[in-house]
Amino acid sequence: MENFASLVPLVILIPFTGSLINLFLGRYLNERMIGTVASGAAGIAFVIAATMTFAMPRFGYEGVVVNPPILDSWLYIPSAALNIPWQLRVDTLSLTMMLVVTGVGTLIHIYAIGYMHGDSRFARFFVYLNLFLGFMLILVTGNNLLVTFVGWEGVGLCSFLLIGFWFDKKHGVGWKNSNAARKAFIVNRVGDFGFLMAIFLTFWTFGTLDYYKPGEHIPGPVHGETVTIEPGAVASSDTHGASTETVTDKGIFGKAEDLLAEGGHIVHFGPFSLSLEAVLTIITLFMILGVTGKSAQIPLFVWLPDAMAGPTPVSALIHAATMVTAGIYLITRNSVFFHAAPLSSAVVTLVGAVTALIAGFIAVGQWDIKRVLAYSTVSQLGFMVAAVGLGGYAAGMFHLVTHAFFKALLFLGSGSVIHAVEHGHHHAHAHGDHGDQGHEEETPFDPQDMRNMGGLARKMPITFWTYLIGTLALAGIIPLAGFWSKDEILGKAFNGGFNDGKIEGFIALGLLIVAAAFTAFYMWRQIRLVFLGKPRTAAAEHAPENGALMTFPLVVLAVLSVLGGLLNIPLGVNIPLVPNEILTLWLEHSVPYTKGLEFNFLLAVTATVIAVAAIFVADRLYSPEPLTKTGKDKLEATGLRAYFRLANAKLYWDETYFRLLENPYNRLSKWLANVVDWDWWHDRFHNNVIRDTFNRLAGFLANPVDRGAIDKAFLRLGDAVAAIGGRLRGLQTGYIRTYVFTMLVGALIVIFLILLPLLRQAVGR
Amino acid sequence: MQPPTVPVENFIILSAVLFIMGILGVLVRRNAIMIFMSVELMLNASNLALVAFARQWGDMGGQMTVFFVISIAAAEVAVGLALIVAIFKTKKTIDIDELNTLKG
Amino acid sequence: MSAELVLFIVVAAVAIFAAALMLISRNAVHSALFLVINLLCVAFFYLMLNAPFLAMVQITVYAGAIMVLFMFVIMLLGAEKLGGGSTHYGWIPTASVILTTIFLIVAFVVVTQSGIGSLKPAPQTPEVRFVHAVDGMPAVDVYLNDQKMAEHLVFEEGTPLNKVRTGDYNLLVFAACPEGESECPDPLTSGAAPLMAAPFKVEPESTVTYVLAGTPTALRLISSPTDLSTLDSEGSWRLTVVNAMPDTGSLQFLQLHRSDPANPTVIVPALAYGEVSEVVVLPDGTYDFEFAQAGTRVAVIDALRIPRKTHQYLILGPEQVVMANGSIEVRPKAFAVAPVLKTIESFGGPQNVGKELLTTYLLGFEMVALLLLATMVGAIILAREEVVHRVRKRLVVSPVVKRMNQSITANAAAIQGEPTNTPAE
């Protein structure tokens, strides 16, 4: 497997290469070529991922750690015992993600060629898209937390670049886009803080950040059974972790398993210390913060709806299929930690379930077609998060895969609709429907507002039918993909509550069922608003179906949405030619503590009935026309109008954040700048204290000290010298006789001094 | 050498007396040439002392010193008198009290 | 009260009197003449003090040249007439008289009480020399303790005088290295047996000649004081005779006269072996000497030309003569010791002064000469006439310089191409 696995650096490099080609040569290529390069890069990456996937079974589904050729010793600081190599991991989990990312990515790239046609910065769009792909692949293939983090940050950057791609649109729309981009980046930062703390704690606890060291087997029980470790046992395709430890060094999961098995391990943080379990809980809680940021859960989901300001392919790729699933991937990868920290798992479950419900509620009241889908994404992510919180890693991954299919489909479909409506708008105006409004519009026409649509089923059949398939898949209607994955999640919740006695299981079950109902309701509302009924504007009337470049991916994704469920048919349901639990079994080789699920017939039926009922209610409510005569939603006409308005206002979530966080922060910052820094520091302290004191001191030193004392001293010295000189001048009489006399006197003195002892002797005698 | 009959102290005292008289001459007289002659007297007095001690010690060095002193005194007299002549030419007087232009 | 003292007092009184009159006299010429008298008295004192040369110099130079110069200048300047007049600083004479009197008293006290007269000159270091007078003994090295006094001293030879400190020594006589041998072990350290070893005493302020006499097996040292003091008469010399011939009786030392061979003069009547005669002073000339014993001639020295003012040693020593048949016979031989020692010149005499000037004081001598030269030149320049005039008429440019300036401007103008204008002179 090593040989095949060594291809994985290519998977990363090829999208980067595509990005670089488009970056430097983009101006010389035409749209077709740029799109081909970008989509080709994604496609080749998909092919390589598929090759590795097919090679896996031959080698026993063993995960392999790959050292890319150059960046081996990436962070090597011996004095701090820090050795973080740039290693990649090829195992079933990472391959799953790779396939999803590259596969859906390729389709969206192709779609984007048609969508972004005529854009002034066409090449740059594909540069960013390929860049994103490269970073996402780094994220999913990293073998240690830090490489994952690099990818994490990278996709955040690309998200920023792509959301704000139309930063130069007029009428303040460009500002809105860039604000949205910034919001996404900054909110993600909060989550990144959590992820970083988790990384630090992990390193402190285990001394390494690697998931698995080269040659290490995955720890933990498989299939829910404990495997007896016999020395010398041959590793079969079903049993893992059986060989004696030839690898002395283990990654974080191996170490964690060993230390937990020993029990009583204490981690020291300077003055205080905690048990290993407590530390793992803290690590996982921090990770949850990161997950809520990246995967748009409560409380950090606020960026995702605004991110819809970006082009639709971006929304489809990043904010539906791939980037937002990074959080799910993270939790799945760290299953060992979450398994060992039941508290965190409970938190995860609750967060996910609550998010699912609230997002679903908000989605009911939205008018923007993409906003509905955005909140829907948040809601579905909540499903996935709840699933992995309940230990259903396979369930979560299954839903991730199927969700990628139909959400991408829905987004691309919405993009198709928007594109058509825009086209229709220009068309209508160009054809003399100006009339009273003139060329410049007072209120800009929003092609994404569903109130401007209607009756598009007839105008855009392919889009309509694919969109319908996606809706039904999302709502969880059997036998489409969403049914199987959603049902698995509900089953996990059910098991968790009734079989394992976890309270969060009960709560999650209830919340998720209600959320599922909401899902079905708002999706059908959307169908009625957009496709059914009569066109409500001239734009909708003239909306054409889009070219094959855009409809082809829709069809492919629709097929995948239909057949996607076959990936993980639960036990108990037998479909000819399709083995059960393909995905679960596949993932078990990489994700410890993965369990499969028995098919719960009752639960499935209940869920389906609820979903169908919700669709039915929506259909009744919104036919024949979804809007009232005054253009309001039909729900507003009912007694639930308060709730509708609440949903429409997004539960005032952003406003609350503004009141609680942003406003005080801005005010504090302004105060600090103007009062503290400017007034106090500059004006008072700087000027008065420092400058004036210095000037006064200098003045003092100059005048009284220097001029008064020192100069005077020297002047007096000079005067004294002159005075002495004047007196001494008297000695120079000019008369020789006085000089001679002086000489005589001097000579006599000297002689006297010389003779002094002799004289004394003479006198003494 | 026979032992000296005149004790050396006599010569020294005589030399001192002549020396003193020379000093007095320098200080009292106003004529520049008189002053020079007094200086010659002083020099002779010291020469006398030197020769006396030379005999006392039996050392020829004393006599050599006198020899040099005499020659240098000659040189000094020559230059000094030349100076006086030159001064006389300008000032028309050799009264030292008149020669006080170096007065400070 | 010796005659000298009386003379001294008289001349001193004259000197002082003359000096006083010199100071008092109003007439400059009179003063100069009194100074001459004073100088002459001082010259007399030089004669009394054993400095005849200086006395002559004093008279010649001082009285004869310097005072003459004084006279010239006095006459030139007409300074015999002195003006009276103002006395600034009238207090100076009085004060100086007082001071000098005090000084005189002090000096008197000092001189009389200090006992200068009793001071003696430093004692001279004693000097010794050795003479080899033993034939049959090879050349010797003579050591006093570890000082080598004589090296390779051969028969009939003597060393020059060496200064030795007063004290007791150990005299060691070794056989010297044979000639031609370069490497010789140091006899002191090599432990060779000395030919003679004896205690040796050096007296202070003595000048002694030691004669190695006797036989090689029985060496003895004959000491004889050497007198190098100044001879009274210039044309005389001193003689000492040493009998170093063993196995002889008393000998007579005679001076033979060519003119009268029958009557030699007996200089030393009796001299036995190992005896030294008294010092005899003889006048200058050529001499023939003879050693005789009871009328028989023992040894003779012919035609000995003795330089004056020396102390000569004549030694009778054994000489080994190889006979015709090969045997060695010892015969007495009289010889004069070389090198000959010179007596000291008279103190203060011209020879002494000359010697000192040209040896010890040569540098001073030359420098004074240069000084005199410079002084001469300086005096001429100082006293010349034209300087004064030239200083007065300095403003006139000499014609030579004027012509030079003209040529320079002409050249400059020619270079610039302008027509030259010779300025009117």
Side-chain angles (χ1 to χ4, degrees), chain A residues 729-730 732-742 744, chain B residues 23 26-30 96-100 102-104:
Chain A
R729 212 180 299 134
Q732 293 231 317
T733 57
Y735 289 107
I736 303 170
R737 284 206 276 179
T738 50
Y739 298 155
V740 176
F741 184 74
T742 319
L744 172 67
Chain B
I23 290 176
V26 170
L27 286 169
V28 170
R29 302 300 300 247
R30 288 202 346 257
I96 54 160
D97 283 350
E98 308 271 333
L99 303 171
N100 63 350
L102 275 179
K103 184 183 172 103

Side-chain angles (χ1 to χ4, degrees), chain B residues 5 29-31 40-41 44, chain C residues 23 38-39 58 62 82 84:
Chain B
T5 48
R29 302 300 300 247
R30 288 202 346 257
N31 195 337
E40 294 307 312
L41 187 59
N44 272 293
Chain C
L23 292 179
N38 195 37
L39 295 175
Q58 169 92 345
Y62 240 121
L82 285 172

Side-chain angles (χ1 to χ4, degrees), chain C residues 129 209 224-226 239-240 242 311-315 335-337 341:
Chain C
R129 74 162 177 168
T209 303
S224 150
T226 312
L239 175 66
T240 306
V242 179
H311 187 161
Q312 191 66 253
Y313 272 77
L314 287 179
I315 302 179
F335 57 90
V337 176
L341 300 174

Side-chain angles (χ1 to χ4, degrees), chain A residues 400-462:
Chain A
L400 188 151
V401 175
T402 54
H403 176 264
F405 293 152
F406 49 72
K407 194 45 71 66
L409 168 62
L410 288 170
F411 265 110
L412 295 184
S414 71
S416 175
V417 164
I418 294 166
H419 201 250
V421 168
E422 262 188 343
H423 206 147
H425 178 68
H426 286 296
H427 195 73
H429 271 265
H431 270 206
D433 226 332
H434 301 264
D436 38 354
Q437 292 213 317
H439 213 4
E440 276 294 321
E441 298 167 28
E442 284 160 7
T443 49
F445 176 76
D446 186 7
Q448 295 180 298
D449 198 329
M450 291 195 282
R451 292 172 285 193
N452 295 335
M453 302 173 193
L456 290 176
R458 268 168 259 123
K459 298 281 192 295
M460 309 167 69
I462 303 177

Side-chain angles (χ1 to χ4, degrees), chain B residues 63-76 79, chain C residues 57 61 357 361-377:
Chain B
Q63 298 197 359
M64 292 298 105
T65 312
V66 170
F67 187 83
F68 290 132
V69 169
I70 290 173
S71 36
I72 291 174
E76 167 233 339
V79 173
Chain C
V57 166
V61 172
L357 267 183
Y361 298 93
L362 181 62
L363 179 64
F365 182 62
E366 298 295 337
M367 284 173 68
V368 168
L370 279 171
L371 182 73
L372 285 171
L373 180 67
T375 309
M376 189 167 68
V377 173

Side-chain angles (χ1 to χ4, degrees), chain B residues 24-91:
Chain B
L24 281 175
V26 170
L27 286 169
V28 170
R29 302 300 300 247
R30 288 202 346 257
N31 195 337
I33 297 182
M34 292 310 306
I35 292 173
F36 255 104
M37 289 202 285
S38 309
V39 169
E40 294 307 312
L41 187 59
M42 286 159 70
L43 282 168
N44 272 293
S46 45
N47 283 349
L48 184 61
L50 275 167
V51 174
F53 275 121
R55 202 235 346 220
Q56 171 80 351
W57 296 108
D59 190 0
M60 281 303 288
Q63 298 197 359
M64 292 298 105
T65 312
V66 170
F67 187 83
F68 290 132
V69 169
I70 290 173
S71 36
I72 291 174
E76 167 233 339
V77 164
V79 173
L81 288 178
L83 270 173
I84 288 177
V85 165
I87 290 172
F88 184 75
K89 295 234 172 75
T90 49
K91 285 254 174 189

Side-chain angles (χ1 to χ4, degrees), chain A residues 357 383 471-472 474-478 483 486-487 490 494 508-524 601-619:
Chain A
L357 180 62
F383 269 87
T471 304
L472 293 175
L474 176 57
I477 307 298
I478 204 168
F483 165 75
K486 201 176 287 185
D487 181 69
L490 292 172
F494 185 85
L509 184 61
L511 293 175
L512 290 175
I513 290 180
V514 176
F518 273 131
T519 309
F521 183 81
Y522 64 67
M523 285 315 294
W524 196 254
F601 184 71
L602 199 59
L603 190 61
V605 164
T606 317
T608 314
V609 162
I610 291 173
V612 168
I615 291 176
F616 192 66
V617 168
D619 196 50

Side-chain angles (χ1 to χ4, degrees), chain A residues 170-255:
Chain A
K170 295 205 191 40
H171 304 296
V173 178
W175 266 115
K176 258 189 14 184
N177 295 344
S178 60
N179 283 345
R182 243 173 298 141
K183 185 170 181 176
F185 215 5
I186 292 172
V187 173
N188 256 313
R189 216 65 190 116
V190 181
D192 295 343
F193 157 74
F195 194 173
L196 271 173
M197 292 302 295
I199 291 177
F200 297 151
L201 280 170
T202 311
F203 186 75
W204 185 261
T205 312
F206 297 107
T208 176
L209 290 174
D210 299 339
Y211 297 144
Y212 300 102
K213 300 280 184 195
E216 187 187 344
H217 297 288
I218 60 159
V222 177
H223 281 183
E225 311 147 6
T226 44
V227 178
T228 47
I229 298 173
E230 292 166 56
V234 177
S236 67
S237 58
D238 276 340
T239 54
H240 291 271
S243 68
T244 49
E245 295 311 307
T246 51
V247 182
T248 50
D249 203 11
K250 289 192 174 181
I252 47 178
F253 302 132
K255 280 199 180 141

